[in-house]
Amino acid sequence: MERVVGTVVRGLRGPIINEGDNIEQIVVDTVLNAAKVEGYSIEDRDIVTVTESVVARAQGNYASIDDIATDVAAKFGDDTVGVIFPILSRNRFANCLRGIAKGVKKVVLMLSYPSDEVGNHLVDIDELDVKGINPWTDTLTEAEFREHFGYKKHTFTGVDYIEYYKELIEAEGAACEVIFSNNPKTILAYTKSVLTCDIHTRFRTKRILTTNGAEKVFSLDNILAESINGSGFNAEYGLLGSNKATEESVKLFPHTCQPIVDGIQAKIKEATGKTVEVMVYGDGAFKDPVGKIWELADPVVSPAYTAGLDGTPNEVKLKYLADNDFADLRGEELKTAISEYIQNKDEDLTGQMAAQGTTPRKLTDLIGSLSDLTSGSGDKGTPMIYIQGYFDNYTK
């Protein structure tokens, strides 16, 4: 019988993960049990994805606000510190900011505008046009921002992040001055000691600062890059990818994930004889067209994945073939012609017209986005995703 279903994505329910749990075995047991209960078979090139959150929980990769403060104080001493380009997030940055403020005496908080790096808006860009303000050249003080735009609450959270962040800093005993600029060099008029908090643009920001006279420059991946008094850490990403855990702590992005995905793959191979691909995923890489938020607040979509998930898709556009190469064909004749074309397609379709409109993104970014949208960030209780048929095409 002809197959009539392509890719199938299942959110798998497993146990609540706690520190010290064997995440590899839990994932394997969950995958095998789900296949048995739901009545489907595990096949070669199926994909198992695991959210970074449960991996970090199993690792116990947590740190306190005091741990952050200790690391920041060791790096900056008594300097006034420019904290620049943070994202606007209670979950992602509030506790990090509290720890930073607790470790210094004064913070000059420089916010990008009209939005942060991932699309959370302080003000609508149309309002900048009305006021004649150029966000690429104009620096605003807090008073000037308020005079122009008043008090703005975030569309989804109802939080005025300027007020919220300033109150968090002052509550930890640090003085705070707020300015608005998109130019990293602006902060150097206030201090030569800078902690840049952007995620995907941090390397450029650090380069600009260091070549224009900054004396101390660190980014969030430099904070908690090693354990502080026994805390969790992430040698590659530091505080990047962290989330609020409790009122006094954060959960860091998981570390040393490659042995975990390789171990899961090996255990499933041993149990079933099939080679599945495995990846750890964080935020998906997609943009909300209404709120304008780009979801990717983690430093990468996937910190670790098995070798079969390396690379990008190599696909042709069916509608292009139907409208062009085989425009005169219909029915079974058209189906046969397209199937033969796919079976004989080049291994690299870069630049070919038949591939135009296909998504030129890394497999792990695409699969991570699919997984993140499936598991969600709430109470679905499916931190593991099982994907079948992802690598199939029209001929399978």
Side-chain angles (χ1 to χ4, degrees):
M1 182 179 293
E2 181 180 13
R3 245 180 81 183
V4 294
V5 175
T7 301
V8 177
V9 185
R10 296 178 174 90
L12 305 188
R13 290 181 177 163
I16 302 298
I17 306 299
N18 292 303
E19 181 176 350
D21 286 347
N22 185 334
I23 190 66
E24 284 184 33
Q25 195 60 52
I26 288 173
V27 171
V28 171
D29 291 345
T30 299
V31 167
L32 297 178
N33 184 58
K36 179 180 179 181
V37 171
E38 297 296 326
Y40 59 88
S41 59
I42 293 171
E43 303 294 343
D44 289 325
R45 299 221 78 189
D46 287 354
I47 306 169
V48 179
T49 69
V50 187
T51 181
E52 58 82 20
S53 178
V54 297
V55 177
R57 283 180 61 83
Q59 292 176 335
N61 205 21
Y62 295 86
S64 69
I65 288 172
D66 286 341
D67 295 327
I68 297 171
T70 298
D71 200 2
V72 170
K75 287 178 168 61
F76 289 106
D78 292 333
D79 299 353
T80 293
V81 177
V83 176
I84 71 172
F85 302 152
I87 64 172
L88 308 175
S89 172
R90 293 168 298 174
N91 175 47
R92 289 289 191 168
F93 192 68
N95 273 4
C96 295
L97 182 59
R98 287 180 60 201
I100 293 164
K102 195 168 187 177
V104 303
K105 292 184 176 180
K106 181 178 179 179
V107 169
V108 180
L109 179 65
M110 190 171 89
L111 301 175
S112 57
Y113 76 102
S115 71
D116 68 7
E117 179 185 2
V118 296
N120 292 293
H121 276 68
L122 288 170
V123 62
D124 193 282
I125 194 167
D126 291 330
E127 292 188 63
L128 301 184
D129 296 336
V130 171
K131 297 290 184 178
I133 294 172
N134 185 339
W136 302 110
T137 60
D138 296 344
T139 298
L140 302 176
T141 64
E142 182 181 1
E144 289 169 336
F145 186 93
R146 295 301 194 190
E147 180 183 350
H148 287 303
F149 308 114
Y151 287 75
K152 301 285 186 180
K153 292 188 176 180
H154 190 278
T155 303
F156 293 152
T157 65
V159 172
D160 181 320
Y161 278 96
I162 302 167
E163 183 177 64
Y164 177 56
Y165 278 3
K166 186 173 184 179
E167 289 178 351
L168 287 181
I169 292 168
E170 292 177 341
E172 297 300 334
C176 180
E177 181 176 0
V178 183
I179 60 174
F180 303 83
S181 175
N182 292 306
N183 186 345
K185 291 186 286 187
T186 299
I187 196 64
L188 299 178
Y190 296 81
T191 178
K192 297 296 191 292
S193 297
V194 186
L195 177 59
T196 180
C197 301
D198 45 346
I199 306 164
H200 307 290
T201 56
R202 65 190 185 276
F203 299 110
R204 175 178 182 267
T205 301
K206 291 172 78 172
R207 173 178 55 79
I208 291 172
L209 291 168
T210 53
T211 56
N212 284 277
E215 295 171 359
K216 295 180 184 177
V217 181
F218 296 96
S219 49
L220 286 182
D221 52 350
N222 303 133
I223 309 300
L224 292 185
E226 57 185 24
S227 179
I228 302 296
N229 300 321
S231 73
F233 68 98
N234 191 303
E236 187 171 6
Y237 298 120
L239 279 178
L240 291 177
S242 63
N243 290 270
K244 181 178 180 179
T246 70
E247 292 302 320
E248 299 298 324
S249 66
V250 296
K251 177 192 63 61
L252 302 173
F253 211 48
H255 59 78
T256 325
C257 294
Q258 194 60 47
I260 294 173
V261 296
D262 290 339
I264 293 169
Q265 184 183 58
K267 286 182 171 65
I268 292 178
K269 174 79 169 180
E270 182 179 358
T272 67
K274 304 295 183 179
T275 300
V276 302
E277 304 298 341
V278 185
M279 65 177 276
V280 175
Y281 70 94
D283 274 345
F286 49 84
K287 184 175 181 178
D288 170 24
V290 177
K292 302 181 179 65
I293 299 171
W294 182 37
E295 180 69 11
L296 187 54
D298 285 325
V300 290
V301 172
S302 176
Y305 49 88
T306 50
L309 296 180
D310 201 17
T312 58
N314 190 55
E315 301 171 342
V316 295
K317 203 77 168 178
L318 295 188
K319 65 181 182 182
Y320 178 86
L321 295 177
D323 288 344
N324 292 273
D325 297 54
F326 309 116
D328 57 333
L329 302 181
R330 296 292 185 275
E332 282 299 318
E333 195 176 5
L334 175 60
K335 179 180 178 181
T336 299
I338 289 179
S339 296
E340 289 177 354
Y341 189 102
I342 292 172
Q343 289 169 341
N344 294 295
K345 68 184 177 182
D346 293 339
E347 303 233 346
D348 184 0
L349 295 168
T350 302
Q352 294 190 27
M353 291 299 292
Q356 68 177 349
T358 58
T359 308
R361 292 169 59 188
K362 292 173 59 177
L363 286 167
T364 50
D365 291 343
L366 292 164
I367 295 165
S369 297
L370 176 61
S371 300
D372 191 26
L373 287 166
T374 303
S375 63
S377 57
D379 57 8
K380 287 185 172 61
T382 55
M384 291 156 264
I385 308 298
Y386 197 78
I387 304 168
Q388 293 187 297
Y390 190 84
F391 294 106
D392 287 359
N393 59 41
Y394 186 64
T395 69
K396 301 298 183 182

